[in-house]
Amino acid sequence: MHRWAPRGALAVVLLLAYPVLTHAAVTTGLAYLAWTAWLCIAALVVLSFPGRWGLAGFALLAAAPLVVDADVLLKLPPVIIDVALAIWFGRTLAPGEEPMISWFARLVRGTELPPDLARYTRWSTVMWTAFFVSMAAVAAALAVLATPQTWSLFTNGIDYLLMGMLFVGDYVFRRVRYRHHEHRPLADVVRTVARAGKLAPRRTARK
């Protein structure tokens, strides 16, 4: 746990720095900001995949701006990340899998979900999957059709705002609609989701 903490803290810093640097690069036109933002992505690869493969990925990504303009490269991560999240959530909707939001809810509660909450969290997983697909489609369309400033405003601002609104809205709706069940504070939910990357949903959901 102590070894993970510094790496996790650095990952958070890089994740926060990336959209800020990207938007600054787009609005100012300064190439070094675009390079720095892209290096944040490369560094995240090393943190996510420690070892020789992570270093190889970092080297390839760090060298990519020598071949392709960094401003062009920066339009790829928003689409790739949203598609990856859509796949991550969507694959848990397959028969025999535990839906992603059901897994989050079970981790937060520390026990199996009542049938009505299990049904709701499955539909919530569908909603989140659709959200990430939609965000990927919009980011891709804006990258091709919109001005760089409009693309950046959406991918580095509005996208995160919509995600936060959906997260809080889902939590509030669940507390109101299923108020006959006990619910943990929102801070506990956030901490659980933040830890979830080191765990995995059950391969086979209980009936």
Side-chain angles (χ1 to χ4, degrees), residues 7 42-59:
R7 197 167 69 211
L44 283 168
V45 170
V46 177
L47 294 176
S48 301
F49 304 98
R52 69 179 70 178
W53 291 111
L55 290 173
F58 174 82

Side-chain angles (χ1 to χ4, degrees), residues 97-192:
E97 298 287 343
E98 182 178 27
M100 186 67 69
I101 303 300
S102 302
W103 172 50
F104 288 153
R106 179 171 59 82
L107 291 178
V108 171
R109 294 171 64 85
T111 184
E112 297 299 318
L113 299 179
D116 55 345
L117 278 181
R119 286 190 296 271
Y120 171 75
T121 52
R122 178 176 181 80
W123 281 109
S124 181
T125 303
V126 173
M127 175 182 66
W128 276 100
T129 302
F131 172 81
F132 289 126
V133 170
S134 300
M135 293 300 100
V138 173
L142 291 177
V144 175
L145 302 174
T147 64
Q149 291 76 16
T150 301
W151 166 83
S152 182
L153 178 62
F154 179 82
T155 58
N156 297 306
I158 295 175
D159 190 348
Y160 293 99
L161 179 62
L162 292 175
M163 190 184 305
M165 291 173 61
L166 184 58
F167 183 84
V168 174
D170 186 20
Y171 174 79
V172 171
F173 176 82
R174 195 182 313 173
R175 290 203 63 138
V176 173
R177 174 63 179 81
Y178 300 96
R179 54 184 174 274
H180 53 285
H181 292 301
E182 180 183 357
H183 298 276
R184 302 297 296 274
L186 182 59
D188 289 351
V189 178
V190 173
R191 281 193 292 269
T192 299

